[in-house]
Amino acid sequence: MKIGVLGAGVMGSGIAQVCALGGDDVVCYDVDASALADGRAHVTTGRFGIDNAVERAKVTRAEADAALARITFTGSFEAAATTDLVIEAVPERLELKVRVFRDLDRLAPAETILASNTSGLPIAAMAAATDRPDRVIGWHWASPAPVMKLAEIVVTPETGEDTIATVTDTAARYGKHPIVVKDNPMQWGFVANRVYFAMVREAQRVVDEGIATRAEVDQLMMDCFRWPSGPFGMVAGAGSGWS
Ligand SMILES: NC(=O)c1ccc[n+]([C@@H]2O[C@H](COP(=O)([O-])OP(=O)(O)OC[C@H]3O[C@@H](n4cnc5c(N)ncnc54)[C@H](O)[C@@H]3O)[C@@H](O)[C@H]2O)c1
């Protein structure tokens, strides 16, 4: 399978790494040349990159080198669009994503599946920008992509069964844990981020009421629920790619 990834930032570079380690050829596109260079560094020598996976004996050096050889970082949108499955990971702005999906629909072969890694914007709005709503789907990953099992697969009433099957099979093949949920254009966040941000809002209220500091809230939640990080730590970590 050939995968296109749009955006070589925190998420796009990690997604490209997972797809390549999963045995697929990957074309990762970004509008910004320095983002492409940073993305490549992320994938090779980054904290969750392939070299680190070799050091921790998760993959052999030969497997790592083969995976790296499968990834192309490019400034060619067309190269990323002319693939079997495109995963969009550009900034979280609906008008940008709609424009990207419109452009993708023009250039990608008719059978190409177009997936968005949006954190919670309506998949239906991106599907409506195309002439292939049956082949548009949400595939929400968590950061760091090489580590986290999340594969929140978001479907609209128009998403085709074969599209859902291809994407869930691909996610499972990458060692992720696909769960199919419904798109809800009235509400940002699907399932994972709706529940997560409800918790973050409450944590902020506790701080605003002077009941505890941010650090204390984080520590209490880690001690109480064995979370690896508290709510404020999670917000900071997700923004930085945990580096
Ligand atoms: N960071 C997280 O924890 C996280 C987790 C899950 C989902 N997401 C979602 O993933 C998406 C990307 O987030 P990120 O954290 O990787 O952002 P980021 O800012 O790290 O990366 C975005 C990249 O997209 C590039 N870009 C901008 N316009 C583009 C275009 N038209 N075509 C191609 N590339 C373009 C930028 O140059 C940048 O390199 C967002 O929708 C975000 O909500 C983020």
mmCIF file of all heavy atoms in Angstrom, residues 7 9-11 29-32 35 89-92 96-97 100 117-119 140-141 143 238, ligand 1:
data_model
loop_
_atom_site.group_PDB
_atom_site.id
_atom_site.type_symbol
_atom_site.label_atom_id
_atom_site.label_comp_id
_atom_site.label_asym_id
_atom_site.label_seq_id
_atom_site.Cartn_x
_atom_site.Cartn_y
_atom_site.Cartn_z
ATOM 1 N N GLY A 7 1.397 17.165 5.830
ATOM 2 C CA GLY A 7 1.873 17.812 7.042
ATOM 3 C C GLY A 7 2.959 16.938 7.649
ATOM 4 O O GLY A 7 2.747 15.737 7.869
ATOM 5 N N GLY A 9 4.512 17.745 10.571
ATOM 6 C CA GLY A 9 4.690 18.273 11.925
ATOM 7 C C GLY A 9 4.712 17.167 12.971
ATOM 8 O O GLY A 9 5.079 16.021 12.677
ATOM 9 N N VAL A 10 4.300 17.540 14.177
ATOM 10 C CA VAL A 10 4.297 16.589 15.297
ATOM 11 C C VAL A 10 3.587 15.300 14.883
ATOM 12 O O VAL A 10 4.116 14.195 15.060
ATOM 13 C CB VAL A 10 3.583 17.224 16.521
ATOM 14 C CG1 VAL A 10 3.311 16.184 17.591
ATOM 15 C CG2 VAL A 10 4.405 18.376 17.072
ATOM 16 N N MET A 11 2.380 15.427 14.351
ATOM 17 C CA MET A 11 1.585 14.235 14.042
ATOM 18 C C MET A 11 1.984 13.595 12.716
ATOM 19 O O MET A 11 2.151 12.376 12.633
ATOM 20 C CB MET A 11 0.090 14.577 14.031
ATOM 21 C CG MET A 11 -0.458 14.983 15.381
ATOM 22 S SD MET A 11 -0.064 13.836 16.715
ATOM 23 C CE MET A 11 -0.963 12.382 16.233
ATOM 24 N N TYR A 29 4.204 15.062 2.669
ATOM 25 C CA TYR A 29 4.266 16.397 2.044
ATOM 26 C C TYR A 29 4.075 17.487 3.086
ATOM 27 O O TYR A 29 3.276 17.342 4.016
ATOM 28 C CB TYR A 29 3.157 16.490 0.983
ATOM 29 C CG TYR A 29 2.786 17.898 0.584
ATOM 30 C CD1 TYR A 29 3.588 18.630 -0.296
ATOM 31 C CD2 TYR A 29 1.635 18.508 1.091
ATOM 32 C CE1 TYR A 29 3.250 19.922 -0.653
ATOM 33 C CE2 TYR A 29 1.290 19.802 0.734
ATOM 34 C CZ TYR A 29 2.099 20.514 -0.141
ATOM 35 O OH TYR A 29 1.762 21.787 -0.493
ATOM 36 N N ASP A 30 4.799 18.587 2.918
ATOM 37 C CA ASP A 30 4.553 19.770 3.747
ATOM 38 C C ASP A 30 4.797 21.004 2.872
ATOM 39 O O ASP A 30 5.611 20.965 1.940
ATOM 40 C CB ASP A 30 5.484 19.797 4.961
ATOM 41 C CG ASP A 30 4.944 20.646 6.106
ATOM 42 O OD1 ASP A 30 4.878 21.886 5.954
ATOM 43 O OD2 ASP A 30 4.570 20.078 7.151
ATOM 44 N N VAL A 31 4.095 22.099 3.205
ATOM 45 C CA VAL A 31 4.294 23.347 2.459
ATOM 46 C C VAL A 31 5.595 24.024 2.855
ATOM 47 O O VAL A 31 6.092 24.892 2.143
ATOM 48 C CB VAL A 31 3.132 24.353 2.706
ATOM 49 C CG1 VAL A 31 1.889 23.950 1.951
ATOM 50 C CG2 VAL A 31 2.842 24.534 4.192
ATOM 51 N N ASP A 32 6.143 23.627 4.009
ATOM 52 C CA ASP A 32 7.284 24.319 4.595
ATOM 53 C C ASP A 32 8.519 23.401 4.543
ATOM 54 O O ASP A 32 8.523 22.323 5.133
ATOM 55 C CB ASP A 32 6.898 24.659 6.048
ATOM 56 C CG ASP A 32 7.992 25.374 6.805
ATOM 57 O OD1 ASP A 32 9.139 25.409 6.320
ATOM 58 O OD2 ASP A 32 7.698 25.885 7.903
ATOM 59 N N ALA A 35 9.925 22.362 7.829
ATOM 60 C CA ALA A 35 9.099 21.338 8.498
ATOM 61 C C ALA A 35 9.425 19.947 7.956
ATOM 62 O O ALA A 35 9.424 18.961 8.699
ATOM 63 C CB ALA A 35 7.609 21.643 8.302
ATOM 64 N N ALA A 89 -2.742 15.737 8.017
ATOM 65 C CA ALA A 89 -2.365 16.182 9.365
ATOM 66 C C ALA A 89 -1.844 17.617 9.295
ATOM 67 O O ALA A 89 -0.740 17.930 9.758
ATOM 68 C CB ALA A 89 -1.321 15.245 9.966
ATOM 69 N N VAL A 90 -2.631 18.492 8.676
ATOM 70 C CA VAL A 90 -2.289 19.919 8.604
ATOM 71 C C VAL A 90 -2.937 20.607 9.808
ATOM 72 O O VAL A 90 -3.721 19.988 10.534
ATOM 73 C CB VAL A 90 -2.750 20.550 7.249
ATOM 74 C CG1 VAL A 90 -2.205 19.751 6.072
ATOM 75 C CG2 VAL A 90 -4.258 20.685 7.168
ATOM 76 N N PRO A 91 -2.618 21.871 10.094
ATOM 77 C CA PRO A 91 -3.150 22.525 11.298
ATOM 78 C C PRO A 91 -4.678 22.469 11.408
ATOM 79 O O PRO A 91 -5.396 22.385 10.417
ATOM 80 C CB PRO A 91 -2.633 23.958 11.165
ATOM 81 C CG PRO A 91 -1.345 23.809 10.406
ATOM 82 C CD PRO A 91 -1.632 22.735 9.393
ATOM 83 N N GLU A 92 -5.108 22.544 12.673
ATOM 84 C CA GLU A 92 -6.526 22.325 13.014
ATOM 85 C C GLU A 92 -7.379 23.562 12.678
ATOM 86 O O GLU A 92 -7.871 24.259 13.569
ATOM 87 C CB GLU A 92 -6.626 21.964 14.507
ATOM 88 C CG GLU A 92 -8.011 21.565 14.996
ATOM 89 C CD GLU A 92 -8.398 20.134 14.663
ATOM 90 O OE1 GLU A 92 -7.736 19.507 13.821
ATOM 91 O OE2 GLU A 92 -9.379 19.665 15.242
ATOM 92 N N LEU A 96 -8.877 25.491 6.210
ATOM 93 C CA LEU A 96 -7.668 24.915 5.599
ATOM 94 C C LEU A 96 -7.917 23.457 5.205
ATOM 95 O O LEU A 96 -7.594 23.031 4.096
ATOM 96 C CB LEU A 96 -6.491 25.018 6.573
ATOM 97 C CG LEU A 96 -5.207 24.293 6.159
ATOM 98 C CD1 LEU A 96 -4.627 24.868 4.867
ATOM 99 C CD2 LEU A 96 -4.172 24.366 7.285
ATOM 100 N N LYS A 97 -8.521 22.707 6.100
ATOM 101 C CA LYS A 97 -8.746 21.286 5.816
ATOM 102 C C LYS A 97 -9.721 21.123 4.643
ATOM 103 O O LYS A 97 -9.520 20.271 3.772
ATOM 104 C CB LYS A 97 -9.245 20.569 7.074
ATOM 105 C CG LYS A 97 -8.160 20.502 8.166
ATOM 106 C CD LYS A 97 -8.486 19.535 9.258
ATOM 107 C CE LYS A 97 -7.535 19.638 10.444
ATOM 108 N NZ LYS A 97 -6.334 18.804 10.348
ATOM 109 N N VAL A 100 -7.818 21.742 1.538
ATOM 110 C CA VAL A 100 -6.914 20.616 1.258
ATOM 111 C C VAL A 100 -7.707 19.432 0.679
ATOM 112 O O VAL A 100 -7.281 18.796 -0.287
ATOM 113 C CB VAL A 100 -6.154 20.214 2.549
ATOM 114 C CG1 VAL A 100 -5.516 18.841 2.413
ATOM 115 C CG2 VAL A 100 -5.097 21.261 2.885
ATOM 116 N N ASN A 117 -6.758 13.450 10.202
ATOM 117 C CA ASN A 117 -6.345 13.262 11.597
ATOM 118 C C ASN A 117 -6.817 14.443 12.456
ATOM 119 O O ASN A 117 -6.240 14.725 13.507
ATOM 120 C CB ASN A 117 -4.818 13.137 11.663
ATOM 121 C CG ASN A 117 -4.300 13.030 13.098
ATOM 122 O OD1 ASN A 117 -4.820 12.264 13.894
ATOM 123 N ND2 ASN A 117 -3.287 13.815 13.430
ATOM 124 N N THR A 118 -7.872 15.125 12.026
ATOM 125 C CA THR A 118 -8.383 16.221 12.852
ATOM 126 C C THR A 118 -8.665 15.738 14.268
ATOM 127 O O THR A 118 -9.096 14.603 14.482
ATOM 128 C CB THR A 118 -9.668 16.824 12.246
ATOM 129 O OG1 THR A 118 -10.183 17.789 13.184
ATOM 130 C CG2 THR A 118 -10.739 15.787 11.973
ATOM 131 N N SER A 119 -8.469 16.650 15.226
ATOM 132 C CA SER A 119 -8.746 16.321 16.620
ATOM 133 C C SER A 119 -10.237 16.335 16.911
ATOM 134 O O SER A 119 -10.657 15.863 17.979
ATOM 135 C CB SER A 119 -8.055 17.338 17.533
ATOM 136 O OG SER A 119 -6.666 17.287 17.363
ATOM 137 N N HIS A 140 -8.318 9.513 13.685
ATOM 138 C CA HIS A 140 -7.715 10.348 14.726
ATOM 139 C C HIS A 140 -6.667 9.550 15.501
ATOM 140 O O HIS A 140 -6.981 8.530 16.100
ATOM 141 C CB HIS A 140 -8.830 10.854 15.669
ATOM 142 C CG HIS A 140 -8.325 11.662 16.816
ATOM 143 N ND1 HIS A 140 -8.882 11.599 18.072
ATOM 144 C CD2 HIS A 140 -7.314 12.573 16.895
ATOM 145 C CE1 HIS A 140 -8.234 12.419 18.881
ATOM 146 N NE2 HIS A 140 -7.280 13.020 18.188
ATOM 147 N N TRP A 141 -5.424 10.040 15.421
ATOM 148 C CA TRP A 141 -4.295 9.419 16.116
ATOM 149 C C TRP A 141 -4.018 10.189 17.399
ATOM 150 O O TRP A 141 -4.448 11.336 17.534
ATOM 151 C CB TRP A 141 -3.034 9.461 15.254
ATOM 152 C CG TRP A 141 -3.096 8.800 13.919
ATOM 153 C CD1 TRP A 141 -3.982 9.075 12.908
ATOM 154 C CD2 TRP A 141 -2.231 7.775 13.434
ATOM 155 N NE1 TRP A 141 -3.702 8.272 11.826
ATOM 156 C CE2 TRP A 141 -2.632 7.469 12.121
ATOM 157 C CE3 TRP A 141 -1.146 7.099 13.979
ATOM 158 C CZ2 TRP A 141 -1.984 6.501 11.338
ATOM 159 C CZ3 TRP A 141 -0.494 6.143 13.209
ATOM 160 C CH2 TRP A 141 -0.921 5.836 11.905
ATOM 161 N N SER A 143 -0.807 11.494 20.153
ATOM 162 C CA SER A 143 0.620 11.811 20.201
ATOM 163 C C SER A 143 1.265 11.188 21.442
ATOM 164 O O SER A 143 0.670 11.264 22.523
ATOM 165 C CB SER A 143 0.781 13.331 20.240
ATOM 166 O OG SER A 143 2.116 13.692 20.479
ATOM 167 N N ALA A 238 1.097 17.085 24.580
ATOM 168 C CA ALA A 238 0.498 16.905 23.250
ATOM 169 C C ALA A 238 0.944 18.027 22.313
ATOM 170 O O ALA A 238 1.203 17.806 21.128
ATOM 171 C CB ALA A 238 -1.013 16.870 23.356
HETATM 172 N N1 LIG B 1 -0.473 17.370 18.465
HETATM 173 C C1 LIG B 1 -1.326 16.459 18.888
HETATM 174 O O1 LIG B 1 -1.240 15.954 20.021
HETATM 175 C C2 LIG B 1 -2.440 15.987 18.001
HETATM 176 C C3 LIG B 1 -3.066 14.765 18.305
HETATM 177 C C4 LIG B 1 -4.061 14.290 17.452
HETATM 178 C C5 LIG B 1 -4.446 15.024 16.349
HETATM 179 N N2 LIG B 1 -3.825 16.224 16.082
HETATM 180 C C6 LIG B 1 -4.248 16.952 14.894
HETATM 181 O O2 LIG B 1 -3.286 16.711 13.872
HETATM 182 C C7 LIG B 1 -3.245 17.844 13.001
HETATM 183 C C8 LIG B 1 -1.817 18.355 12.911
HETATM 184 O O3 LIG B 1 -1.391 18.690 14.211
HETATM 185 P P1 LIG B 1 0.157 18.791 14.586
HETATM 186 O O4 LIG B 1 0.212 18.854 16.074
HETATM 187 O O5 LIG B 1 0.934 17.770 13.855
HETATM 188 O O6 LIG B 1 0.507 20.240 13.985
HETATM 189 P P2 LIG B 1 1.933 20.834 13.565
HETATM 190 O O7 LIG B 1 1.777 22.293 13.614
HETATM 191 O O8 LIG B 1 3.019 20.178 14.370
HETATM 192 O O9 LIG B 1 2.107 20.335 12.052
HETATM 193 C C9 LIG B 1 1.300 20.807 11.006
HETATM 194 C C10 LIG B 1 2.150 20.845 9.761
HETATM 195 O O10 LIG B 1 1.295 21.118 8.648
HETATM 196 C C11 LIG B 1 2.027 21.933 7.755
HETATM 197 N N3 LIG B 1 1.076 22.570 6.842
HETATM 198 C C12 LIG B 1 0.427 23.744 6.961
HETATM 199 N N4 LIG B 1 -0.382 23.932 5.895
HETATM 200 C C13 LIG B 1 -0.223 22.851 5.096
HETATM 201 C C14 LIG B 1 -0.779 22.448 3.849
HETATM 202 N N5 LIG B 1 -1.663 23.201 3.211
HETATM 203 N N6 LIG B 1 -0.378 21.268 3.318
HETATM 204 C C15 LIG B 1 0.539 20.502 3.946
HETATM 205 N N7 LIG B 1 1.098 20.821 5.128
HETATM 206 C C16 LIG B 1 0.710 21.975 5.691
HETATM 207 C C17 LIG B 1 2.825 22.874 8.628
HETATM 208 O O11 LIG B 1 3.938 23.416 7.927
HETATM 209 C C18 LIG B 1 3.229 21.935 9.772
HETATM 210 O O12 LIG B 1 4.488 21.338 9.522
HETATM 211 C C19 LIG B 1 -4.245 18.859 13.560
HETATM 212 O O13 LIG B 1 -5.486 18.704 12.932
HETATM 213 C C20 LIG B 1 -4.329 18.451 15.038
HETATM 214 O O14 LIG B 1 -5.537 18.857 15.628
HETATM 215 C C21 LIG B 1 -2.831 16.718 16.876
#
